[in-house]
Amino acid sequence: MSSAVQKRRPQTAQQFVLEELRRAITTGELKPGDQIRQDALAARFEVSRVPLREALKALEAEGLVVHHIHRGYFVAELSLADLEEIYRIRELLETEAVRLAVGRMPEGTVGALERIQREVERAAADGDVPAMAAANRLFHFTLIEASGMPRLVRLIATLWDSTDAYRSLYYADAPHRKLAVREHRAVISALRHGDEAAAVRWLDEHRAHAVAALREVLGQEADRALPH
């Protein structure tokens, strides 16, 4: 195992495996529907099966993996209906969070968003999907956390977690990355002017574009699964 991996390794083997599995899912290394081969992962992470099983149980509770009797663990798949429902709930909760955030707007929030946006744009230009997904999440949650409503933030985070495996599919396409960059800039501009309605509107469009793109991806996968 490389020294870089060892340096970032958390305190326990279970935490380490959990972090690495979540990263593999959210970056698209493990895609929706992929089987999680425990023997190979235990060897790769240099851990026993015990922390691996515990990490998988934690991810199952989060909805990122599913367990099938006699078949093992798989990366969770979402139907189009599931995805649309999750994004609709996100719209309701995030709209409330953003309105509260604009009303409070703690000092330094817009500056923090501008710094994060530079990382979003660097990753977008480089085609670095994992970095883009991570920076995008940080951007949104920096704004959401400005609402000062930690329980609301946790609810929204749970919804984000359940669709993380699909976010990398969206950012894999350069036009989607460019669109996200433009939408983020528009959100920052609205916040800088204290324009709550514009911030909410741009974030609604941001989610709607992601849903439309993922609807197309899921539709294509369904077509491939049909007998021809």
Side-chain angles (χ1 to χ4, degrees):
M1 185 179 295
S2 71
S3 59
V5 170
Q6 288 176 331
K7 285 179 182 177
R8 70 170 184 269
R9 184 165 181 158
Q11 186 176 6
T12 70
Q14 181 185 334
Q15 289 173 330
F16 168 70
V17 174
L18 182 61
E19 179 184 282
E20 290 298 306
L21 280 175
R22 188 181 285 115
R23 182 200 57 77
I25 292 170
T26 58
T27 61
E29 180 183 339
L30 287 172
K31 295 179 172 57
D34 281 357
Q35 185 171 13
I36 297 172
R37 304 189 181 281
Q38 294 186 49
D39 289 338
L41 288 174
R44 170 181 166 181
F45 297 147
E46 299 178 12
V47 298
S48 71
R49 292 285 292 272
V50 175
L52 183 58
R53 281 197 300 268
E54 292 304 312
L56 286 169
K57 287 178 183 177
L59 290 173
E60 185 179 18
E62 293 177 13
L64 284 179
V65 305
V66 294
H67 182 259
H68 298 297
I69 297 174
H70 305 309
R71 295 178 61 206
Y73 284 94
F74 293 78
V75 180
E77 294 181 276
L78 290 175
S79 68
L80 179 56
D82 289 334
L83 197 71
E84 290 179 333
E85 181 181 8
I86 289 167
Y87 270 79
R88 175 59 179 147
I89 298 169
R90 272 188 54 195
E91 178 186 345
L92 296 170
L93 298 182
E94 290 179 22
T95 295
E96 179 66 12
V98 171
R99 285 175 174 162
L100 290 166
V102 173
R104 295 177 74 248
M105 199 49 63
E107 185 177 352
T109 300
V110 174
L113 290 169
E114 289 172 335
R115 289 191 295 275
I116 297 164
Q117 177 63 7
R118 288 195 285 273
E119 176 58 22
V120 170
E121 296 188 17
R122 184 205 64 76
D126 292 346
D128 188 339
V129 174
M132 174 81 177
N136 175 73
R137 182 171 182 131
L138 183 57
F139 179 94
H140 284 272
F141 277 89
T142 296
L143 176 55
I144 290 166
E145 287 168 3
S147 68
M149 300 282 283
R151 288 179 178 81
L152 179 58
V153 173
R154 287 196 295 271
L155 286 171
I156 295 170
T158 299
L159 295 168
W160 273 69
D161 291 343
S162 64
T163 56
D164 264 341
Y166 289 84
R167 204 157 284 113
S168 60
L169 296 176
Y170 181 67
Y171 288 131
D173 289 346
H176 295 159
R177 295 195 298 273
K178 290 178 181 178
L179 180 59
V181 164
R182 291 198 299 272
E183 290 163 344
H184 280 198
R185 288 177 180 172
V187 170
I188 290 173
S189 177
L191 294 172
R192 197 182 292 122
H193 292 90
D195 191 337
E196 174 192 299
V200 168
R201 184 176 67 253
W202 278 109
L203 288 166
D204 285 347
E205 290 193 21
H206 192 46
R207 283 186 298 270
H209 289 146
V211 170
L214 292 172
R215 185 182 293 122
E216 185 175 342
V217 169
L218 292 175
Q220 290 171 351
E221 290 180 354
D223 288 342
R224 285 196 294 270
L226 293 172
H228 290 88

